[in-house]
């Protein structure tokens, strides 16, 4: 299933794609696409519904972030060798973790504001993993059973805030709008192998990132197991699994986003995002 949230910001309704890719209104069936919706029994209930029997969403309705009520966004840094190399960083011995505030969430086609003092706003296409069942001390072998689904996440990053402004990455990762996710939350049954996906970023039409999840240093199952040794991963938590090479900071010379730039991203089976970057007001 491909689950979405459609409608104005803050007033999104739950939806599901039908066979023709049309959004159907699920609001008569569930209140929202939220952690409670991701329980295996709830997903089974949705699977039994024929989307064609549901009302069609209004033509051209905005899509919001594909999941409401996300508790935490855990991000993995330097999880692709070539990306570590382009940032002149050592390949980490174990997964490098940082967090992104949930207030950064954005719809997949919403504008992304460039903060007033930003000089180095950058793109990072990533496979987002959505937790379906709480995970604590899970083994790698059991880890994927805790996944409800997958989505695209752009781990938008302000490199100067991230690296030069004292302390951790948080300032450069949590600006408003710096976490476009979606368009769809694709349930795990549709993604046979999360390590078999292609990821692409285009900036103003030019391909900048062209990676494969098979190149991850630490795969999805390892990441879930690893993170669950430190904290419980709750239903609805999202893991951003790292970005392949081709970010603006790695270009010669580095290239960063300015108002008017358009970033498009796609991941096999997970759809497409398009973000216009704008000056913040
Ligand atoms: Zn990232």
């Amino acid at each position: 299933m491909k689950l979405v949230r459609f409608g104005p910001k803050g007033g999104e309704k739950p939806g599901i794609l039908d066979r023709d890719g049309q959004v159907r209104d699920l609001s008569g069936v569930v209140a929202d696409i939220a952690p409670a919706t991701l329980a295996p029994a709830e997903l089974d209930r949705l699977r039994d519904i024929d989307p064609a029997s549901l009302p069609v969403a209004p033509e051209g309705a905005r899509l919001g972030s594909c999941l409401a009520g996300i508790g935490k966004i855990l991000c993995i840094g330097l999880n692709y060798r070539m990306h570590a190399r382009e940032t002149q960083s050592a390949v980490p011995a174990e997964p490098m973790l940082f967090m992104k505030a949930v207030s950064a969430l954005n719809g997949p086609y919403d504008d992304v504001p460039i903060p007033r003092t930003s000089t180095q706003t950058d793109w990072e296409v990533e496979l987002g993993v959505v937790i379906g069942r709480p995970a604590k001390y899970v083994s790698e072998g059991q880890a994927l059973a805790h996944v409800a689904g997958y989505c695209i996440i752009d781990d938008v990053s302000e490199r100067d805030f991230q690296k030069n402004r004292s302390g951790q990455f948080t300032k450069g990762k949590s600006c408003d709008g710096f976490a476009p996710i979606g368009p769809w939350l694709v349930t795990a049954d549709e993604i046979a192998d999360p390590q078999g996906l292609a990821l692409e970023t285009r900036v103003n039409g030019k391909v900048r990132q062209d990676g494969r999840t098979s190149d991850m240093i630490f795969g999805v199952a390892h990441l879930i197991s690893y993170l669950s040794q430190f904290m419980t991963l709750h239903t609805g938590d999202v893991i951003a699994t790292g970005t392949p090479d081709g970010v603006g900071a790695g270009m010669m010379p580095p290239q960063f986003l300015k108002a008017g730039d358009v970033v498009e991203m796609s991941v096999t089976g997970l759809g497409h995002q398009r973000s216009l970057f704008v000056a913040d007001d």
Side-chain angles (χ1 to χ4, degrees), residues 195-255:
Q195 307 308 141
L197 310 178
L199 314 98
E200 186 187 85
T201 300
R202 290 174 188 254
V203 180
N204 300 327
K206 288 203 180 78
V207 176
R208 295 301 185 197
Q209 293 188 279
D210 179 14
R212 303 198 71 84
T213 56
S214 53
D215 290 333
M216 282 182 190
I217 297 167
F218 305 107
V220 172
H222 183 85
L223 291 174
I224 292 167
S225 171
Y226 177 86
L227 294 171
S228 80
Q229 311 305 312
F230 299 96
M231 67 190 91
T232 302
L233 305 180
H234 292 282
T235 304
D237 286 351
V238 173
I239 305 169
T241 55
T243 198
D245 64 302
V247 300
M251 292 172 68
M252 298 284 191
Q255 179 184 312

Side-chain angles (χ1 to χ4, degrees), residues 15-262:
I16 186 168
L17 256 56
D18 67 17
R19 194 178 299 182
D20 302 320
Q22 269 189 311
V23 176
R24 299 284 181 151
D25 187 341
L26 262 180
S27 61
V29 183
V30 289
D32 204 346
I33 306 300
T37 324
L38 304 180
E42 275 294 282
L43 290 179
D44 284 345
R45 191 167 74 90
L46 296 186
R47 235 172 240 121
D48 286 341
I49 296 166
D50 178 7
S53 68
L54 301 168
V56 179
E59 181 85 30
R62 168 188 171 270
L63 292 184
S65 61
C66 56
L67 178 64
I70 295 171
K72 55 185 178 285
I73 304 173
L74 297 165
C75 301
I76 307 302
L78 305 172
N79 198 25
Y80 291 79
R81 276 185 186 81
M82 292 301 287
H83 175 59
R85 185 176 300 174
E86 74 177 344
T87 60
Q88 290 156 17
S89 307
V91 171
E94 52 186 309
M96 194 275 255
L97 174 67
F98 61 91
M99 294 184 76
K100 197 175 187 76
V102 291
S103 54
L105 285 165
N106 216 33
Y109 305 107
D110 288 344
D111 293 351
V112 178
I114 299 174
R116 284 186 185 177
T117 58
S118 166
T119 53
Q120 300 186 4
T121 294
D122 202 350
W123 56 84
E124 293 193 353
V125 65
E126 305 198 10
L127 171 64
V129 177
V130 179
I131 298 297
R133 286 199 292 128
K136 188 172 188 186
Y137 303 125
V138 300
S139 67
E140 201 166 320
Q142 284 300 310
L144 293 183
H146 294 261
V147 176
Y150 300 92
C151 59
I152 304 175
I153 179 165
D154 182 356
D155 177 19
V156 184
S157 304
E158 214 296 339
R159 304 299 181 196
D160 184 47
F161 297 178
Q162 177 186 345
K163 292 179 176 162
N164 306 326
R165 299 292 294 275
S166 296
Q168 305 178 326
F169 282 10
T170 314
K171 287 175 210 168
K173 295 286 189 174
S174 293
C175 309
D176 297 347
F178 272 28
I181 68 163
W184 314 321
L185 195 174
V186 179
T187 50
D189 55 291
E190 295 197 9
I191 302 294
D193 178 10
Q195 307 308 141
L197 310 178
L199 314 98
E200 186 187 85
T201 300
R202 290 174 188 254
V203 180
N204 300 327
K206 288 203 180 78
V207 176
R208 295 301 185 197
Q209 293 188 279
D210 179 14
R212 303 198 71 84
T213 56
S214 53
D215 290 333
M216 282 182 190
I217 297 167
F218 305 107
V220 172
H222 183 85
L223 291 174
I224 292 167
S225 171
Y226 177 86
L227 294 171
S228 80
Q229 311 305 312
F230 299 96
M231 67 190 91
T232 302
L233 305 180
H234 292 282
T235 304
D237 286 351
V238 173
I239 305 169
T241 55
T243 198
D245 64 302
V247 300
M251 292 172 68
M252 298 284 191
Q255 179 184 312
F256 297 107
L257 295 166
K258 55 190 187 314
D261 287 344
V262 172

